[in-house]
């Protein structure tokens, strides 16, 4: 459970950590779009190098990113198998009995693997270098034009930040309950189907009960400190858009434009 | 029957930015049949230490033996279920682990996991619930209907129902009112006296240590800095200061008296003894 890296913030002191969260969110979106421009292996190579540089400048370890990637490996193997049977374009590379393996299938799978890997690197970099609170603040700021259309942007941002805030708490709680039930002889790994259901119940029910309790407590605590839903709030911390943010956005946009040109030309 | 730690280290999240050494070179022998208090400041490794006892955590280095089991690095002990049956571990705020619809069902969950038949498990559960002082007519209530203190008792009954020979309690009285805490401690004392269960209690309450425990283990920054019997421990206020512990009121009182030149024998640890000693001293004058 401790190995879950999803959405975990890693407190380091780096160039990427110091960027404005808005910059990082926009850069992430641009990069995600860039990934879906079919500019072939050259395009992915360019994005890859760009991400490698940003990854190094963010001081995150490669093993951390690898851990985030690992859970999706199973899905990728599954995709490869499906692709092998469905895609029948390109040259035949391998023949086993009546089954032909086409180059198209392999290339398509490699594309998917690359895309997924790049996407995970990008999103991991965003969440690992940005404090959840900063992330929501950035998000709220970016959504603020929608507030004119009566979209409750602040409420949405608050909900997102609370959800993010409680991921580690819930994981911790789940781990604690798992340990407590293990002490009562629950065995999550072996046992019959019925026993397994019982084991899962013994985790889920207390987790739900305590989550509701926590939500109640949190609501009370927020109200006690004067939080009113829908009221106008001012911020203590202001986001600052610096020269480095400008450079980052320019280079990311440059990358996107470059890739489009590469595809068109 | 024994509990023995041999040079145990424990490191959380090794090789990451969150790396944290919670235990360092812990060697310890717990005396069986006694009530041992484990004390120390927050973050000194108390909880980590006790979670080794039933194999929830495995040492990063070193090993420990509990009864016939050996728990060492990177290898789950064989038959870990039997170990967990023998070492009952009650977590901090144990009431959060209740999940069944009724108390009796929840308490019989433990024995059923260890292969006891339903009917028999419920009988064991009923006995455990009575032991912790739950009214039999509440047995079919939902855990959610109970007060916090009662829930805590039910959770402890859930562990007692497994009839462990070693009972480990992580801050069992945290968040209870003084009366509830006292009767909880009386319960542990009774279990220790009547059933001969070895008890380890993680606690911050020095009054409880003074009144109910036999031995004291002091942890500081993941190291055992002291392991001694209660009398020795309370003679030595240097350690109490070091572990940022407030002395029990009777010790504080005696110390204050000493400042005014009235000394008492260090063996006096109960109010009764102290009062009769004061009366004796007055008689001499």
């Amino acid at each position: 459970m401790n190995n879950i890296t999803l959405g975990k913030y890693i407190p380091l002191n780096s160039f990427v950590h110091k960027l404005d969260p808005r910059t990082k969110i926009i850069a992430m979106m641009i990069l995600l779009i860039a990934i879906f421009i079919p500019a072939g292996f050259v395009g992915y190579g360019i994005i890859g190098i760009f991400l490698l540089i940003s990854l190094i400048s963010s001081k995150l370890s490669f093993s951390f990113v690898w851990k985030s990637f690992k859970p999706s490996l199973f899905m990728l193997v599954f995709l490869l198998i499906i692709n092998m049977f469905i895609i029948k374009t390109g040259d035949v590379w391998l023949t086993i009995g009546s089954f032909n393996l086409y180059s198209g299938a392999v290339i398509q799978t490699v594309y998917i693997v690359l895309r997924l890997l790049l996407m995970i690197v990008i999103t991991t970099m965003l969440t690992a270098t940005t404090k959840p609170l900063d992330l929501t603040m950035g998000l709220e700021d970016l959504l603020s034009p929608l507030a004119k259309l009566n979209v409750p942007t602040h409420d949405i941002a608050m909900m997102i930040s609370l959800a993010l805030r409680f991921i580690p708490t819930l994981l911790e709680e789940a781990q604690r309950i798992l340990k407590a039930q293990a002490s009562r002889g629950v065995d999550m790994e072996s046992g019959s189907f019925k026993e397994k259901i019982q084991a899962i119940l013994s985790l889920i029910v207390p987790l739900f009960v305590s989550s509701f309790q926590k939500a109640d407590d949190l609501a009370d605590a927020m109200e006690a400190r004067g939080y009113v839903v829908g009221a106008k709030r001012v911020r203590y911390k202001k986001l600052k858009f610096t020269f480095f943010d400008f450079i980052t956005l320019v280079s990311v946009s440059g990358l996107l434009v470059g890739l489009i040109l590469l595809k068109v030309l | 029957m024994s509990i023995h730690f041999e040079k145990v280290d424990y490191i959380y999240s090794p090789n990451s930015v969150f790396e944290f050494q919670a235990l360092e070179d812990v060697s310890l022998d717990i005396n069986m049949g006694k009530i041992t208090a484990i004390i120390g400041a927050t973050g000194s490794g108390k909880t980590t230490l006790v979670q080794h006892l039933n194999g929830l955590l495995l040492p990063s280095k070193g090993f420990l033996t509990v009864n016939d089991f050996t728990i060492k690095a990177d290898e789950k002990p064989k038959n870990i279920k039997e170990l967990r049956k023998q070492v009952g571990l009650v977590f901090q705020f144990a009431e959060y682990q209740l999940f069944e619809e009724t108390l009796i069902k929840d308490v019989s969950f433990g024995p059923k996991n260890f292969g006891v038949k339903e009917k028999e498990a419920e009988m064991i559960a009923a006995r455990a619930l009575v032991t912790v002082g739950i009214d039999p007519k509440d047995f079919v209530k939902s855990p959610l209907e109970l007060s916090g203190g009662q829930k805590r008792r039910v959770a402890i009954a859930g562990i007692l129902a497994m009839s462990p020979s070693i009972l480990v309690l992580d801050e069992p009285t945290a968040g209870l009112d003084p009366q509830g805490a006292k009767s909880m401690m009386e319960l542990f004392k009774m279990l220790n006296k009547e059933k001969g269960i070895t008890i380890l209690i993680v606690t911050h309450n020095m009054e409880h240590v003074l009144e109910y425990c036999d031995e004291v283990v002091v942890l500081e920054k993941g190291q055992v800095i002291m392991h001694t019997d209660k009398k020795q421990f309370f003679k030595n206020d240097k350690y109490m200061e070091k572990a940022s512990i407030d002395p029990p009121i009777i010790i504080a009182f005696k110390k204050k008296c000493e400042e005014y030149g009235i000394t008492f024998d260090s063996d006096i640890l109960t109010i009764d003894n102290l009062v009769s000693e004061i009366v004796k001293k007055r008689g001499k004058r």
Side-chain angles (χ1 to χ4, degrees):
Chain A
M1 281 295 244
N2 264 332
N3 293 327
I4 290 178
T5 54
L6 178 89
K8 206 176 195 175
Y9 172 67
I10 309 289
L12 292 170
N13 188 11
S14 80
F15 172 74
V16 183
H17 280 77
K18 281 184 201 141
L19 285 176
D20 189 313
R22 289 170 298 184
T23 311
K24 283 188 262 189
I25 295 170
I26 296 172
M28 180 192 79
M29 290 199 294
I30 293 176
L31 283 169
L32 286 180
I33 295 167
I35 286 175
F36 284 94
I37 292 169
F41 286 116
V42 183
Y44 290 131
I46 295 169
I47 300 176
I49 291 166
F50 183 84
L51 285 180
L52 197 67
I53 295 167
S54 359
L55 194 62
I56 291 167
S57 63
S58 75
K59 293 187 186 165
L60 293 174
S61 70
F62 287 92
S63 68
F64 177 76
V65 177
W66 170 243
K67 267 191 206 156
S68 320
F69 182 64
K70 232 170 26 184
S72 43
L73 272 180
F74 166 75
M75 198 175 80
L76 290 173
V77 173
F78 190 67
L79 263 176
L80 174 68
I81 293 168
I82 290 186
N83 277 350
M84 272 177 3
F85 286 101
I86 289 178
I87 298 175
K88 294 197 160 54
T89 54
D91 313 322
V92 176
W93 277 6
L94 193 71
T95 307
I96 305 165
S98 61
F99 170 75
N100 291 326
L101 178 64
Y102 292 90
S103 61
V106 175
I107 291 170
Q108 200 63 39
T109 311
V110 172
Y111 273 148
I112 292 173
V113 172
L114 280 176
R115 266 181 218 150
L116 204 73
L117 180 64
L118 294 175
M119 266 154 63
I120 286 170
V121 172
I122 292 166
T123 47
T124 307
M125 243 172 28
L126 177 72
T127 52
T129 64
T130 319
K131 284 183 203 140
L133 272 179
D134 289 347
L135 200 62
T136 3
M137 216 150 79
L139 213 58
E140 191 183 344
D141 222 71
L142 290 173
L143 288 173
S144 60
L146 289 174
K148 296 210 168 61
L149 302 170
N150 277 336
V151 178
T153 48
H154 170 71
D155 296 356
I156 293 172
M158 178 59 84
M159 281 195 280
I160 295 171
S161 80
L162 289 182
L164 285 174
R165 158 69 185 75
F166 275 97
I167 291 175
T169 311
L170 280 182
L171 282 177
E172 222 168 79
E173 186 78 18
Q175 205 169 18
R176 220 173 58 83
I177 295 169
L178 266 177
K179 275 184 181 171
Q181 305 297 22
S183 303
R184 295 214 275 167
V186 170
D187 192 345
M188 285 283 171
E189 280 137 36
S190 56
S192 69
F193 181 68
K194 203 186 148 202
E195 279 168 353
K196 268 190 185 155
I197 297 277
Q198 185 83 357
I200 292 170
L201 269 181
S202 77
L203 168 66
I204 302 246
V205 174
L207 199 56
F208 261 94
V209 172
S210 82
S211 300
F212 278 111
Q213 220 151 30
K214 283 207 171 79
D216 260 350
D217 289 349
L218 182 74
D220 286 344
M222 282 168 78
E223 278 185 12
R225 292 202 270 169
Y227 183 84
V228 178
V229 178
K232 188 159 169 48
R233 299 183 75 215
V234 285
R235 279 192 197 144
Y236 173 64
K237 208 172 147 191
K238 291 266 193 299
L239 294 175
K240 262 199 216 100
F241 197 80
T242 63
F243 177 68
F244 293 112
D245 294 298
F246 180 70
I247 297 278
T248 306
L249 282 185
V250 167
S251 53
V252 173
S253 319
L255 184 77
L256 181 67
V257 174
L259 282 176
I260 292 171
L261 289 179
L262 190 73
K263 169 70 185 157
V264 175
L265 297 180
Chain B
M1 301 289 268
S2 69
I3 299 174
H4 171 70
F5 283 76
E6 180 75 37
K7 293 187 162 45
V8 170
D9 277 11
Y10 188 81
I11 300 167
Y12 282 103
S13 314
N15 306 321
S16 78
V17 277
F18 300 107
E19 182 173 306
F20 174 69
Q21 178 147 16
L23 292 181
E24 193 182 337
D25 199 27
V26 169
S27 294
L28 191 62
D29 271 296
I30 303 288
N31 288 327
M32 304 309 278
K34 294 274 172 66
I35 300 183
T36 303
I38 297 170
I39 62 174
T42 313
S44 56
K46 304 181 296 288
T47 299
T48 311
L49 182 79
V50 296
Q51 288 188 2
H52 279 81
L53 289 168
N54 71 350
L56 285 175
L57 297 178
L58 304 178
S60 305
K61 234 201 239 155
F63 68 91
L64 62 149
T65 56
V66 178
N67 293 348
D68 300 330
F69 298 89
T70 305
I71 301 158
K72 55 188 168 201
D74 308 320
E75 192 190 333
K76 270 200 174 176
K78 275 173 231 149
N79 204 356
I80 195 155
K81 245 185 167 175
E82 182 55 31
L83 170 66
R84 287 182 181 161
K85 189 178 174 306
Q86 290 182 17
V87 182
L89 179 61
V90 179
F91 270 70
Q92 223 167 330
F93 299 106
E95 54 272 29
Y96 289 122
Q97 73 192 36
L98 305 176
F99 73 101
E100 279 282 14
E101 299 146 58
T102 65
L103 303 189
I104 192 96
K105 266 191 179 173
D106 202 281
V107 175
S108 57
F109 178 65
K112 273 196 283 186
N113 280 327
F114 294 113
V116 178
K117 290 272 173 304
E118 178 129 17
K119 270 267 148 52
E120 207 189 326
E122 285 193 0
M123 264 166 50
I124 296 171
R127 244 179 286 149
L129 280 167
V130 169
T131 309
V132 300
I134 299 288
D135 192 339
K137 69 176 190 289
D138 291 342
F139 285 3
V140 289
K141 272 192 180 168
S142 156
L144 297 176
E145 294 174 52
L146 302 181
S147 71
Q150 277 178 310
K151 275 193 226 170
R152 181 88 50 93
R153 285 169 177 277
V154 173
I156 290 171
I159 301 294
L160 289 180
M162 306 173 346
S163 46
S165 63
I166 299 167
L167 184 61
V168 185
L169 302 137
D170 194 350
E171 295 194 32
T173 59
L176 295 186
D177 58 286
Q179 207 60 50
K182 195 171 148 65
S183 64
M184 191 77 83
M185 295 304 294
E186 301 278 353
L187 167 68
F188 302 144
K189 186 93 200 171
M190 187 274 284
L191 288 169
N192 173 254
K193 281 266 132 47
E194 287 179 14
K195 301 193 176 171
I197 299 177
T198 303
I199 295 182
L200 281 93
I201 300 181
V202 174
T203 183
H204 287 294
N205 190 321
M206 286 306 117
E207 304 288 347
H208 289 167
V209 175
L210 180 66
E211 201 170 341
Y212 300 102
C213 299
D214 304 309
E215 310 228 326
V216 184
V217 173
V218 186
L219 282 176
E220 191 188 83
K221 291 180 186 140
Q223 288 175 312
V224 174
I225 57 168
M226 191 186 206
H227 179 201
T228 178
D229 69 8
K230 176 172 66 182
K231 275 188 184 159
Q232 282 300 343
F233 174 74
F234 284 111
K235 267 183 200 171
N236 203 337
D237 47 22
K238 190 177 79 214
Y239 275 101
M240 272 189 266
E241 265 168 42
K242 217 173 165 185
S244 50
I245 295 163
D246 279 339
I249 192 123
I250 189 164
I251 304 285
F253 177 78
K254 275 163 53 177
K255 219 176 150 188
K256 201 84 199 166
C257 287
E258 270 161 36
E259 283 174 24
Y260 287 89
I262 310 164
T263 49
F264 291 101
D265 194 67
S266 60
D267 282 350
I268 297 170
L269 293 174
T270 64
I271 297 221
D272 284 348
N273 288 349
L274 185 67
V275 170
S276 61
E277 189 71 16
I278 291 172
V279 171
K280 234 196 291 176
K281 276 187 197 277
R282 274 184 53 156
K284 273 184 201 159
R285 277 195 190 170

